[in-house]
Structures are given as C-alpha cells and as structure tokens.
Amino acid sequence: MTQLTQLELDDLLDRYATLRDTLQGLEAERDELSKLLKDALAEGKTPTTALYRAELRPSHSLEYPVDRFREAFGDAATLEVATIDRKKADALVKAGDLDGEALSNLAVTKERSPSLVLVALT
C-alpha cells in the first residue's frame, strides 16, 4: 500500500467527506423530487422533458410466509433461508432441495409503492 503523509490523508478525508455530503444532499433532493413527481403522476399529470416521460409502474415483492414455508418444507429448510429470502429459497429449488411448485404455491405477492421510471423518448 502507498504510504501517505498525514497531510495527504487529511486531504483524502476532506475530499471523501465533501463527496459524501454532496451525495447525501443530492440523494435527499432526488428523493424529494421523486415524491413530488409521484404525487403529480398519481393526480393524472404527465411530466415530460425532451428526453424522458415519467410514468408510475406498480412495484411488487414476493414473500414466503414463515409458518406456511415451515409446514411445507420443515425446520431445517426454514432455518437455511432464515428470513425466507426469495433468492435463497429459489436457490434451494434450483439445487433440488425444495419443490419449486410447492414453493410457488406458498408465495404471496405484496404491492409496494410505485416506482418512478424514466422512459427514453428516442
């Protein structure tokens, strides 16, 4: 590793902090703009620019209820996926450790808040 002087380290820290603070400010602004745009879209407005049109699209997540998962696959498999993480459960199906059809019968789709999507107009 390159040996840095204390002054160089202090400069790196200063730059890092500046970038972090800038990013946090930009992320907060982005989140606020996203909320305002989502609210406008929900009211039927159609914001567009020369390059983009904003749309609201439904967003869903797939979850497996722990009690039903445990009934179908037992304690060992339930502990293996701990929080019934979809990717982990799907990996067990792929590995042949769980029945994929039985797993999909347990699935519950929950709607999440809409996602703001920028659609390229060109």
Side-chain angles (χ1 to χ4, degrees), residues 23-77:
L23 289 171
Q24 287 177 342
L26 290 171
E27 288 170 349
E29 181 180 0
R30 180 203 58 207
D31 293 346
E32 180 60 26
L33 292 172
S34 175
K35 181 187 177 317
L36 293 170
L37 286 165
K38 285 180 179 182
D39 289 347
L41 288 163
E43 293 171 2
K45 297 179 181 163
T46 55
T48 59
T49 69
L51 298 176
Y52 299 104
R53 176 185 71 248
E55 294 179 355
L56 280 182
R57 292 190 184 159
S59 178
H60 300 87
S61 63
L62 191 62
E63 296 179 4
Y64 305 108
V66 175
D67 55 338
R68 292 176 53 209
F69 187 94
R70 186 172 178 227
E71 280 178 19
F73 301 112
D75 292 338

Side-chain angles (χ1 to χ4, degrees), residues 79-99:
L79 289 174
E80 179 76 22
V81 295
T83 60
I84 319 301
D85 180 278
R86 179 182 180 187
K87 290 180 182 179
K88 290 179 183 178
D90 290 344
L92 288 174
V93 169
K94 192 173 186 175
D97 294 334
L98 297 180
D99 177 358

Side-chain angles (χ1 to χ4, degrees), residues 100-116:
E101 186 176 342
L103 181 63
S104 53
N105 289 337
L106 292 176
V108 175
T109 301
K110 294 185 176 183
E111 191 162 331
R112 300 185 324 200
S113 62
S115 299
L116 177 64

